[in-house]
Amino acid sequence: MRHLLSVISLLWLAAPAQASPHCEGGQVWEDRNGNGHYDAGETPLTGIKLSDGVEVFITDADGRYRFAPVEGRTLFVIKPAGYDVPRRADGIPDFWTHARTTPGPALKYGGIPAGSPGCRDFGLIPRATLAQSPDLEALIFADTQTKSLTDVGYYRRDIVEPLIGRHTAQLGLTLGDVVDDDLSLYPALNTQTARLQVPWLHIPGNHDLDFDAGSDGDSLLTFRHHFGPDTFAWEEERMTFIGMDDVIYRPGQKPAYVGGFREDQFAFLQAYLPTVRKDRLLVLGVHIPLFDTGGGSFRAADRQRLFELLRDFPHVLLLSGHTHTQRHWYHDAATGWHGPQPLHEYNVGTACGAFWSGVKDADGIPDATMADGTPNGYARLKVATGGDYALSWHPARDAQDPAIGLHAPKVLRQGAYPAWGVYANVYLGDDRTRVEYRVDGGEWKPMQKVSQPDPRLLAENMRDDLADALRGYDRSPEAKPSQHLWRGALPTSLPAGEYRIDVRASGRWHDEVSASTRYRLQSATE
């Protein structure tokens, strides 16, 4: 049966019946003045890669590529290192065109309108110099997930505006669930993201689907109309990025989707990966994590096929979203990875936190803390030569930019049994993170990693439970065990008085970060 399905898939990929007769290719040139026109003195670019999501085409000495467009596919140029692409009127990078000559299915949010033959010319703008920093820096958003214009306003004030003029990134990524089912919000959201003035790439999530589509193949038509191909590649000097739709829509079934890949995506990878340099970092961005979050959330056979294709690459990083928590996962033989080193997957915390929920602050913006106690925000990826990279997490609008959240009791009885502790939520921590604490400037002691909910969020849950009226539009999420929480017992044998608690953490993602809080010992009689 598996062999029969493979044969059927290959026949579908090779079928010429849908080929469009309206164009046969185009040209790629160096647009030195960036005006979008092939002017005198500008030159064609040879060796540039393009793809229709299945095959890869390479420009010849005249900068020309040739292929037969297939109705419904999207052609895109694989931006090479050292070049930029122009931006569309909405600020999205202009590196694709759709093959849609006849109307597609009637969809609530429009899908892809007819009128595009499927090929075009592409002008690439030469980049004068690399950024001053030797590293490539990218901003990473997961699950902006706006369900209304009110949420778009939160995104603007909480995430975008604090970054305007203050970041040094050369690239931006959104890892799916751009909106929360209302695809009419794409233009409003894009208007805000474009204010960051960097090329911004989008991957679809399960809340970006056309749910009135009759098949998985038609479920991202509206997304593709606004953002381009759902699977694509983008090359920088220090990094190759591949964005992939990994949401398989199953109309009429429960659950309505599962994590996995399509046959055309594997065909693209098989054609493209042999052209990718192995001396720089290969980053794969998806929405649904490749590790199982419960109930067979990702098809194991698809993960295995992907890992076999990636096996010979020495520097690989996986980025995912979807869970509205944050953690690091290191794939090994148990999940089908057989490379010489574990394969790192960073499951990125979300821009919307817990769906823009929680009590609003003085500025009218919800608290949005995630279920594992991580504050909403964004990540930064810095990539150096040779495949090295560094990650950081930045809570939204917090001028202190804390890497650790602390919780400790305010007061304990002096002389009581030391059963109460200080908790440190090291937002980007993993099993390799070393976390220590000290009291009153004393000796540093190790903290123990624990798998339990963040007590700060538990306290917020209790405040919501005890309130006589709603404290916000949606209450904070129910706290769940955190993957990056540490505990240290607080001494009670000291004299009565107030004491400072210092916590420090170091590891793969931190040279050393620290935080402090206080508690008081009070003497008591019966």
Side-chain angles (χ1 to χ4, degrees):
M1 175 62 77
R2 182 176 297 175
H3 176 70
L4 176 59
L5 290 174
S6 298
V7 170
I8 292 172
S9 299
L10 290 171
L11 289 173
W12 172 76
L13 288 172
Q18 299 290 323
S20 168
H22 297 283
C23 63
E24 296 181 352
Q27 189 174 38
V28 182
W29 82 96
E30 187 175 78
D31 189 5
R32 294 175 184 168
N33 57 16
N35 68 354
H37 300 287
Y38 194 167
D39 298 318
E42 294 181 337
T43 57
L45 290 172
T46 185
I48 303 299
K49 291 169 281 191
L50 305 95
S51 178
D52 64 353
V54 177
E55 300 180 78
V56 172
F57 318 102
I58 300 178
T59 58
D60 61 19
D62 296 321
R64 302 202 66 84
Y65 66 94
R66 292 171 177 82
F67 83 121
V70 175
E71 184 75 8
R73 292 185 186 173
T74 297
L75 175 78
F76 57 93
V77 63
I78 298 174
K79 188 202 75 66
Y83 286 89
D84 292 316
V85 297
R87 298 181 195 173
R88 299 189 173 213
D90 60 2
I92 298 298
D94 185 16
F95 67 104
W96 82 86
T97 186
H98 302 300
R100 177 63 75 186
T101 60
T102 58
L107 299 171
K108 176 180 178 179
Y109 294 108
I112 298 175
S116 176
C119 59
R120 52 167 280 200
D121 296 339
F122 292 94
L124 301 181
I125 304 168
R127 195 175 291 167
T129 58
L130 291 174
Q132 284 187 334
S133 168
D135 298 340
L136 169 73
E137 183 175 323
L139 292 171
I140 307 170
F141 295 174
D143 300 70
T144 45
Q145 203 148 351
T146 55
K147 60 185 174 294
S148 64
L149 287 175
T150 298
D151 286 357
V152 174
Y154 297 150
Y155 172 67
R156 170 179 62 83
R157 293 189 292 143
D158 200 33
I159 301 293
V160 173
E161 288 183 346
L163 280 167
I164 293 175
R166 297 182 178 93
H167 72 82
T168 56
Q170 301 95 45
L171 185 65
L173 313 170
T174 296
L175 300 172
D177 283 358
V178 183
V179 296
D180 191 4
D181 298 340
D182 186 351
L183 311 189
S184 70
L185 295 172
Y186 283 149
L189 200 78
N190 285 344
T191 296
Q192 299 307 321
T193 306
R195 298 173 67 193
L196 295 173
Q197 293 296 302
V198 292
W200 208 276
L201 306 175
H202 295 78
I203 294 161
N206 53 289
H207 287 284
D208 294 311
L209 303 177
D210 286 294
F211 283 106
D212 51 345
S215 67
D216 179 56
D218 289 335
S219 65
L220 287 173
L221 292 179
T222 300
F223 175 91
R224 289 168 55 201
H225 172 57
H226 289 277
F227 299 110
D230 60 57
T231 297
F232 60 90
W234 181 281
E235 297 177 354
E236 296 289 350
E237 186 62 34
R238 296 171 179 85
M239 175 184 79
T240 296
F241 179 75
I242 299 176
M244 294 186 71
D245 165 37
D246 71 340
V247 181
I248 304 296
Y249 180 44
R250 308 189 298 183
Q253 299 185 48
K254 291 185 179 181
Y257 65 88
V258 67
F261 300 115
R262 307 182 305 266
E263 286 297 330
D264 58 295
Q265 294 174 295
F266 283 115
F268 167 68
L269 291 175
Q270 288 166 349
Y272 174 61
L273 286 176
T275 75
V276 175
R277 288 170 47 178
K278 291 185 171 65
D279 61 342
R280 58 187 176 192
L281 183 66
L282 175 59
V283 179
L284 180 70
V286 296
H287 178 65
I288 297 176
L290 272 66
F291 58 86
D292 191 2
T293 60
S297 60
F298 198 95
R299 298 192 304 207
D302 289 1
R303 181 176 60 232
Q304 183 69 54
R305 288 179 67 182
L306 174 68
F307 284 178
E308 284 300 316
L309 292 170
L310 298 177
R311 184 173 180 173
D312 292 334
F313 286 85
H315 313 291
V316 183
L317 169 66
L318 305 179
L319 299 174
S320 59
H322 187 58
T323 65
H324 295 261
T325 56
Q326 182 159 260
R327 70 181 300 179
H328 300 278
W329 183 282
Y330 296 91
H331 291 277
D332 55 20
T335 50
W337 175 253
H338 298 286
Q341 301 293 333
L343 177 60
H344 178 206
E345 178 173 351
Y346 173 32
N347 185 221
V348 184
T350 56
C352 76
F355 312 95
W356 301 112
S357 65
V359 175
K360 296 179 182 178
D361 63 12
D363 296 320
I365 297 176
D367 175 74
T369 296
M370 293 171 245
D372 66 349
T374 304
N376 78 306
Y378 58 92
R380 277 196 177 100
L381 167 66
K382 290 187 177 182
V383 185
T385 58
D388 291 334
Y389 62 93
L391 294 163
S392 58
W393 178 254
H394 303 273
R397 286 188 307 133
D398 194 325
Q400 301 300 315
D401 200 19
I404 304 174
L406 295 183
H407 175 87
K410 289 185 177 181
V411 60
L412 294 173
R413 181 176 63 84
Q414 192 271 336
Y417 184 80
W420 303 94
V422 57
Y423 288 84
N425 193 332
V426 185
Y427 305 133
L428 209 63
D430 62 13
D431 289 343
R432 308 179 194 183
T433 304
R434 177 182 175 87
V435 186
E436 300 173 300
Y437 76 118
R438 67 180 181 183
V439 175
D440 198 32
E443 178 187 358
W444 287 102
K445 298 180 179 180
M447 300 182 74
Q448 300 299 312
K449 194 170 186 290
V450 293
S451 179
Q452 62 188 74
D454 187 322
R456 294 176 305 157
L457 186 54
L458 284 173
E460 187 67 11
N461 289 164
M462 187 61 67
R463 284 189 283 268
D464 280 335
D465 286 347
L466 298 177
D468 292 325
L470 290 174
R471 301 172 67 228
Y473 180 79
D474 279 322
R475 57 182 288 165
S476 292
E478 186 174 13
K480 64 173 60 174
S482 172
Q483 300 296 321
H484 35 80
L485 189 69
W486 282 259
R487 181 188 184 276
L490 289 174
T492 57
S493 58
L494 300 170
E498 187 174 79
Y499 296 93
R500 177 185 171 103
I501 308 167
D502 294 305
V503 174
R504 66 184 183 186
S506 59
R508 183 176 182 184
W509 313 118
H510 307 105
D511 289 335
E512 182 173 296
V513 292
S514 61
S516 64
T517 188
R518 309 186 79 86
Y519 79 115
R520 182 165 52 90
L521 291 175
Q522 178 182 323
S523 60
T525 58
E526 292 185 3

